[in-house]
Amino acid sequence: MNSTSIPIGVVTVSDRASRGLYEDKGGPGIVAALTDLLASPWHAVPRVIPDEQAVIEAALIELADQEHCPLILTTGGTGPAIRDVTPEATEAVCQKMMPGFGELMRQVSLKVVPTAILSRQTAGIRGRSLIVNLPGKPSSIRECLDAVMPAIPYCIDLIEGPRLETNPAHCVAFRPKGA
């Protein structure tokens, strides 16, 4: 990775994966999707952490404020289970919430599985970082990223982050004319 490589936070929220009892498939699923979707040079700044709100908040703050990741993608912890607290942690560290991301991801997922209504995915802005909560299953991660990625580069432009280019073979980012 060089100085022009954009750092992207990839956070797996899983008690079992954080203890080494379960192979993390969500984080690698995010990386695989981004490898297809992005044309800009980037590198993952990975974290595998337990379903603990304070730990999730600390990881998001570190990735935004110290690692300067303009995009932070989480996987896991978005369901209705008692230990699913990723949306709460995201809301706690963000200055602005971006509910359209979660709305679109649920809409896309509902075409595949009726239990998508149980998902509480959300997104928000912390400083110059966009944080997006994704589901845990790799195929669902890809479906959701395919849906929201066209809006992500322009969102990052608006929060004064680095210019993120998509790979037009897999995703065409929308930017208004002249942006």
Side-chain angles (χ1 to χ4, degrees):
M1 94 188 105
N2 59 42
S3 62
T4 60
S5 178
I6 298 169
I8 296 179
V10 176
V11 182
T12 299
V13 179
S14 167
D15 287 331
R16 293 182 304 149
S18 70
R19 290 191 302 247
L21 303 174
Y22 174 81
E23 179 188 356
D24 173 22
K25 294 181 181 172
I30 291 173
V31 170
L34 291 177
T35 299
D36 284 346
L37 296 169
L38 295 179
S40 296
W42 66 279
H43 62 276
V45 184
R47 301 289 184 271
V48 180
I49 58 176
D51 289 282
E52 298 285 345
Q53 186 168 341
V55 175
I56 300 166
E57 288 177 21
L60 297 175
I61 291 169
E62 177 202 1
L63 290 167
D65 299 359
Q66 281 133 28
E67 298 288 345
H68 306 289
C69 296
L71 178 60
I72 301 166
L73 302 173
T74 71
T75 177
T78 60
I82 291 176
R83 292 196 48 83
D84 289 339
V85 293
T86 303
E88 288 79 7
T90 300
E91 290 176 22
V93 303
C94 288
Q95 291 90 20
K96 296 180 182 177
M97 295 309 297
M98 305 295 290
F101 282 89
E103 292 164 7
L104 179 58
M105 289 187 283
R106 276 184 291 283
Q107 189 176 58
V108 166
S109 296
L110 273 169
K111 293 176 184 172
V112 180
V113 59
T115 54
I117 61 171
L118 301 177
S119 176
R120 300 179 311 112
Q121 291 144 245
T122 192
I125 306 291
R126 178 180 177 84
R128 292 186 175 166
S129 298
L130 170 63
I131 301 169
V132 180
N133 301 152
L134 297 166
K137 188 176 166 191
S139 62
S140 299
I141 288 168
R142 182 58 190 252
E143 290 162 3
C144 289
L145 272 177
D146 283 346
V148 300
M149 187 56 77
I152 287 176
Y154 186 54
C155 182
I156 291 172
D157 292 350
L158 292 171
I159 60 174
E160 301 177 9
R163 188 165 176 96
L164 198 59
E165 298 291 350
T166 56
N167 177 348
H170 295 282
C171 174
V172 176
F174 174 82
R175 285 187 168 100
K177 290 189 186 337

